[in-house]
Amino acid sequence: MKKTVVICDTQPVAIEGLRASLAENQELAVAGEATSLMAGMELVRNLAPTLLVVDKSFGLQPVIDWVGNAAPTAAMSRLLSGVIP
């Protein structure tokens, strides 16, 4: 069974790049994408993805708050986070 991914990024072109990269992985399937934290939260609530990819350009504190609110609503087995310089 494939793991599902929701991508939340400010730039549609970045979403497309991530989608293309993830399409090469047989174990992952992009379930949805959003360009705002609010739209991303709705996807997380509706789709309960396994993995959530969030753009750091939303700002560190808003993303921390958002993930804190998103994680309990999702059936995510793990929450992975990282900051890429």
Side-chain angles (χ1 to χ4, degrees):
M1 183 173 180
K2 287 188 175 191
K3 293 179 175 29
T4 56
V5 180
V6 164
I7 302 168
C8 191
D9 197 300
T10 57
Q11 300 296 318
V13 69
I15 291 172
E16 281 303 312
L18 283 168
R19 179 182 274 286
S21 292
L22 293 173
E24 297 173 11
N25 188 314
Q26 300 286 334
E27 297 178 19
L28 299 174
V30 176
E33 65 260 342
T35 56
S36 73
L37 292 177
M38 184 177 290
M41 180 65 75
E42 189 67 26
L43 287 174
V44 168
R45 286 186 179 133
N46 292 331
L47 302 174
T50 310
L51 180 65
L52 177 59
V53 178
V54 183
D55 183 359
K56 70 177 184 171
S57 70
F58 287 112
L60 185 57
Q61 192 59 52
V63 169
I64 290 170
D65 294 342
W66 184 82
V67 169
N69 290 324
T73 65
M76 290 189 245
S77 59
R78 289 186 196 126
L79 180 61
L80 304 174
S81 64
V83 177
I84 299 171

